[in-house]
């Protein structure tokens, strides 16, 4: 689905921007490129899973039809 891809992409871009801001302000040390990439992918994955759990819980209690399987 295009929205899933674009949502993940926008979260990834947001995490990249946050990393750049924190590096510029010397709040975190500069990470190697590979670790930055892994951190971004892990953050996007975590937020995607939390989003799906949230949809499931809301749909379970309010029967909104967000999740087709319920």
């Amino acid at each position: 689905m295009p929205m899933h891809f674009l949502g993940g992409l926008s979260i990834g871009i947001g995490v990249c921007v946050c990393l750049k801001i924190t590096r510029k302000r010397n709040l975190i040390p500069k990470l190697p490129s590979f670790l930055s990439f892994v951190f971004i992918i892990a953050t996007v994955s975590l937020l995607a899973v939390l989003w799906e759990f949230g949809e499931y819980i809301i749909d379970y209690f309010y029967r909104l039809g967000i999740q087709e399987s319920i």
Side-chain angles (χ1 to χ4, degrees), residues 39-56:
F39 178 76
I40 293 166
I41 296 298
T43 304
V44 170
S45 299
L46 174 66
L47 290 175
V49 168
L50 292 175
W51 183 269
E52 292 299 325
F53 276 126
E55 281 184 350
Y56 179 80

Side-chain angles (χ1 to χ4, degrees), residues 4-57:
H4 281 101
F5 175 76
L6 294 174
L9 183 65
S10 64
I11 291 170
I13 291 171
V15 173
C16 283
V17 170
C18 287
L19 280 175
K20 284 185 180 185
I21 290 171
T22 55
R23 283 185 200 139
K24 186 183 282 188
R25 294 181 182 177
N26 292 325
L27 297 174
I28 62 170
K30 181 164 175 48
L31 299 173
S33 297
F34 178 73
L35 284 180
S36 294
F37 177 75
V38 169
F39 178 76
I40 293 166
I41 296 298
T43 304
V44 170
S45 299
L46 174 66
L47 290 175
V49 168
L50 292 175
W51 183 269
E52 292 299 325
F53 276 126
E55 281 184 350
Y56 179 80
I57 290 168

